[in-house]
C-alpha cells in the first residue's frame, strides 16, 4: 500500500488496522525488511495527520514496529514528528534526534531535521535551530519548509538579508506559500 495508493483509496479505520497489522507482523518476522518499515511509517503518518482516523492505533503501530525492528530509523522519525505535534516535545525531540543521527542525509532526513529545528526554535535554541536547518537545506535543496524556517532563525538573530534570501528561496520552490509571502511582505515593509 504505497502512500500514493493509500491517498487514492481513502483508507478506512478497518483497512488501516489490517495494513498496520501486516506491516508490524512482517517486521516481527524479519526486522531488516525496510519496505515494511517504510510502508508502516507512510500509512501511520497518513493516519496520524487525518484528524480522528485511527490516530491512537497508528501511534501504537509505530511503537510496535520500533520494538520489532529497532534499526528501522524511519519509524523513529515518524513517531518523533507525531509526538512533537501532539505536544510531547521532549519525547518527540529524543526520537527525532535519534532519527537524524541514524539518517543524516536525504529528503526524509531533511524533513526530520526541519521538525527538530522547529522544536529547537520553540525552546529558544536559535543557534541549534539554524545549524540543523542548514543541514536540512543541504540535504534537500527543495525543502521549502526548511528554507522558511531558516529564514525565521536568521530573522530572529537580526540577519535580515539572510532571512530575505531564504524566504525568496522558499518562494522559488513553492510560489503560493502564503506564510512565506506574508513574512517577506512584512520584511520588505
Amino acid at each position: 500500500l504505497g502512500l500514493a495508493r493509500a491517498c487514492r483509496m481513502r483508507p478506512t479505520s478497518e483497512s488501516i488496522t489490517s495494513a498496520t497489522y501486516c506491516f508490524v507482523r512482517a517486521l516481527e518476522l524479519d526486522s531488516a525488511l525496510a519496505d515494511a518499515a517504510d510502508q508502516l511509517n507512510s500509512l501511520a503518518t497518513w493516519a496520524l495527520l487525518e484528524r480522528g482516523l485511527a490516530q491512537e492505533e497508528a501511534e501504537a503501530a509505530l511503537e510496535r514496529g520500533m520494538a520489532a525492528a529497532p534499526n528501522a530509523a524511519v519509524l523513529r522519525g515518524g513517531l518523533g514528528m507525531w509526538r512533537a505535534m501532539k505536544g510531547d516535545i521532549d519525547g518527540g525531540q529524543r526520537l527525532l534526534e535519534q532519527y537524524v543521527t541514524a539518517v543524516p542525509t536525504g529528503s526524509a532526513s531533511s524533513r526530520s531535521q526541519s521538525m527538530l529545528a522547529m522544536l529547537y526554535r520553540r525552546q529558544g535554541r536559535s543557534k541549534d535551530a539554524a545549524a540543523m536547518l542548514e543541514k536540512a537545506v543541504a540535504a534537500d535543496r527543495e525543502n521549502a519548509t526548511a528554507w522558511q524556517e531558516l529564514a525565521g532563525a536568521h530573522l530572529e538573530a537580526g540577519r535580515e538579508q539572510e532571512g530575505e534570501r531564504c524566504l525568496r528561496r522558499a518562494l522559488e520552490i513553492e510560489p503560493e506559500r502564503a506564510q512565506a509571502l506574508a513574512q517577506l511582505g512584512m520584511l520588505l515593509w
Side-chain angles (χ1 to χ4, degrees):
L1 274 191
L3 184 58
R5 181 173 172 212
C7 291
R8 276 196 313 268
M9 65 181 222
R10 300 292 296 168
T12 63
S13 291
E14 262 181 43
S15 66
I16 290 171
T17 299
S18 298
T20 55
Y21 169 81
C22 291
F23 295 138
V24 170
R25 186 66 185 129
L27 290 170
E28 290 170 346
L29 296 170
D30 183 355
S31 65
L33 198 56
D35 285 348
D38 289 343
Q39 294 302 322
L40 173 60
N41 187 60
S42 292
L43 183 59
T45 300
W46 185 88
L48 291 170
L49 296 175
E50 286 291 312
R51 302 258 183 250
L53 184 62
Q55 288 180 336
E56 289 178 17
E57 186 177 328
E59 183 176 7
L62 285 172
E63 291 169 347
R64 288 192 313 270
M66 281 178 38
N71 293 327
V74 68
L75 300 176
R76 281 178 173 56
L79 188 57
M81 283 190 235
W82 172 246
R83 292 244 169 101
M85 286 171 55
K86 75 175 204 176
D88 179 5
I89 303 300
D90 292 337
Q93 178 180 327
R94 187 181 69 257
L95 289 166
L96 285 167
E97 285 172 342
Q98 290 171 359
Y99 177 70
V100 166
T101 299
V103 184
T105 61
S107 63
S109 177
S110 178
R111 288 188 303 274
S112 293
Q113 290 164 333
S114 298
M115 178 64 82
L116 184 54
M118 286 183 230
L119 293 178
Y120 288 164
R121 282 184 67 203
R122 286 186 194 153
Q123 296 167 340
R125 297 170 57 188
S126 295
K127 283 186 178 181
D128 292 333
M132 187 61 61
L133 289 161
E134 291 289 354
K135 290 178 185 178
V137 297
D140 180 2
R141 306 292 296 167
E142 300 301 309
N143 183 340
T145 299
W147 282 106
Q148 185 175 340
E149 286 295 319
L150 183 55
H154 284 310
L155 293 171
E156 287 169 1
R159 295 186 299 271
E160 289 186 4
Q161 285 183 327
E162 285 299 305
E164 181 180 345
R165 181 184 63 79
C166 293
L167 284 171
R168 289 184 184 282
R169 177 64 182 126
L171 290 166
E172 284 175 21
I173 298 164
E174 290 181 26
E176 302 299 316
R177 196 171 180 86
Q179 190 176 22
L181 283 165
Q183 284 178 301
L184 183 59
M186 289 187 315
L187 184 60
L188 297 173
W189 174 265

